[in-house]
Amino acid sequence: MRTPGQRRLGAGPVAAAVLAVLLTGCGGGPDGSGAGAPASTAELPAPAQRSPAAAPAKEGTQAAAPAPAKAGSDNAASDKAKPDKAHSDPASPGVVVNKRRPLSPQDFVPPKLVVPRVERTVAAERVRLRPDAAAAVEKMFAAAAADGVGLTLVSGYRSFEEQAATYNHWVGQYGDEAQADEVSARAGHSEHQTGLAFDIGQADGTCTLVLCFRDTEAARWTAQHAARYGFILRYPQGHHEVTGFSAESWHFRYVGPEIAAAMKAAGTATLEEHFGLPPAPGY
């Protein structure tokens, strides 16, 4: 997902400007360890989880009892709830987050975040991922290197507050929410907040986070091999009416090998289509 400093088109000088912004981060200081340095193996703690408090009942009123289920409807309701729960649980690799499916709670924080031991272009705290996603990233980057393809990690986990700042930047950049909504998720609606999503770049910095990245060796290799490691390209070309976002050939999402393999075998391009969920072109 785009961060401040990105453009929807262009390369060359724009890519250099993008990297400059990424090195300082959004709401953070510059990366003192140097761009492209291998990430530290030390685990960074995740911020404490915050859960919204339940609203108190009004004085003098009694909480309503749950309505009784209709006869014969238990099995149907249960069958419908089970798959949706798997795609609504922010801790599940099968969670679907989009403009119409916010995280619950919206300020969700993964219980554990680690730094993948791979090449990166930003500070370690900006590429943290869930342990399962991080381990798969390490395997995929190693396989790419063995094939002579250099990958670099550009972004990972982003908190609710960081996503709010990122989105507000784009609103200011474009002057209205409608255009910002095409390239940036609103806080509470971002896959980056799950710790399962990340952006990649080519090791030499070619077309980082801009449209021409799709023509790089890094993009071609990853699109072909990502499913083997449990990843999908989350925002493919030509599916913005389903996903709600412009194509991003650098944004990958960990869903686990089983889901990734099933999508590849079926030729399904998006999570929404794979799970039979409604498109999410807008909020």
Side-chain angles (χ1 to χ4, degrees), residues 52-166:
K58 292 182 180 180
E59 185 176 352
T61 63
Q62 185 174 357
K70 292 181 180 180
S73 66
D74 288 352
N75 290 339
S78 177
D79 289 344
K80 183 177 180 181
K82 284 179 182 177
D84 190 66
K85 182 177 181 181
H87 309 321
S88 300
D89 181 359
S92 169
V95 66
V96 180
V97 185
N98 58 36
K99 291 178 177 179
R100 296 183 180 175
R101 295 179 63 87
L103 287 164
S104 180
Q106 286 201 12
D107 60 354
F108 170 76
V109 179
K112 187 176 183 181
L113 292 165
V114 299
V115 181
R117 293 171 293 182
V118 298
E119 294 292 319
R120 53 182 169 79
T121 59
V122 292
E125 65 267 18
R126 301 193 63 77
V127 297
R128 292 177 297 165
L129 295 170
R130 276 179 30 165
D132 48 357
V137 162
E138 292 175 358
K139 292 178 182 178
M140 184 172 74
F141 274 48
D147 286 345
V149 178
L151 301 180
T152 185
L153 202 55
V154 177
S155 73
Y157 168 75
R158 200 177 298 148
S159 70
F160 181 95
E161 292 78 10
E162 288 171 329
Q163 189 63 38
T166 297

Side-chain angles (χ1 to χ4, degrees), residues 2-276:
R2 287 177 173 86
T3 51
Q6 259 178 274
R7 297 292 183 271
R8 297 176 62 186
L9 297 172
V14 174
V18 170
L19 279 177
V21 174
L22 284 169
L23 289 174
T24 59
C26 178
D31 180 6
S33 61
S40 169
T41 58
E43 181 179 324
L44 297 179
Q49 175 75 44
R50 293 184 289 112
S51 299
K58 292 182 180 180
E59 185 176 352
T61 63
Q62 185 174 357
K70 292 181 180 180
S73 66
D74 288 352
N75 290 339
S78 177
D79 289 344
K80 183 177 180 181
K82 284 179 182 177
D84 190 66
K85 182 177 181 181
H87 309 321
S88 300
D89 181 359
S92 169
V95 66
V96 180
V97 185
N98 58 36
K99 291 178 177 179
R100 296 183 180 175
R101 295 179 63 87
L103 287 164
S104 180
Q106 286 201 12
D107 60 354
F108 170 76
V109 179
K112 187 176 183 181
L113 292 165
V114 299
V115 181
R117 293 171 293 182
V118 298
E119 294 292 319
R120 53 182 169 79
T121 59
V122 292
E125 65 267 18
R126 301 193 63 77
V127 297
R128 292 177 297 165
L129 295 170
R130 276 179 30 165
D132 48 357
V137 162
E138 292 175 358
K139 292 178 182 178
M140 184 172 74
F141 274 48
D147 286 345
V149 178
L151 301 180
T152 185
L153 202 55
V154 177
S155 73
Y157 168 75
R158 200 177 298 148
S159 70
F160 181 95
E161 292 78 10
E162 288 171 329
Q163 189 63 38
T166 297
Y167 178 76
N168 289 337
H169 164 85
W170 286 109
V171 172
Q173 184 82 5
Y174 286 123
D176 61 59
E177 291 184 346
Q179 292 189 67
D181 284 339
E182 294 182 18
V183 300
S184 181
R186 299 179 186 181
H189 293 261
S190 173
E191 285 198 325
H192 282 285
Q193 196 177 327
T194 66
L196 296 169
F198 58 95
D199 297 327
I200 65 166
Q202 187 159 280
D204 63 6
T206 301
C207 295
T208 301
L209 299 180
V210 289
L211 187 61
C212 62
F213 180 73
R214 66 185 178 184
D215 300 318
T216 64
E217 189 177 22
R220 288 192 295 267
W221 187 95
T222 313
Q224 182 179 354
H225 298 283
R228 182 181 305 173
Y229 305 95
F231 301 112
I232 61 167
L233 181 64
R234 183 63 176 100
Y235 304 119
Q237 189 79 26
H239 293 271
H240 61 280
E241 290 296 334
V242 175
T243 65
F245 295 104
S246 301
E248 295 186 353
S249 54
W250 53 83
H251 181 106
F252 284 84
R253 160 68 194 279
Y254 184 74
V255 294
E258 184 177 345
I259 294 175
M263 289 180 66
K264 187 170 184 176
T268 311
T270 69
L271 285 177
E272 287 81 3
E273 294 167 297
H274 182 68
F275 292 131

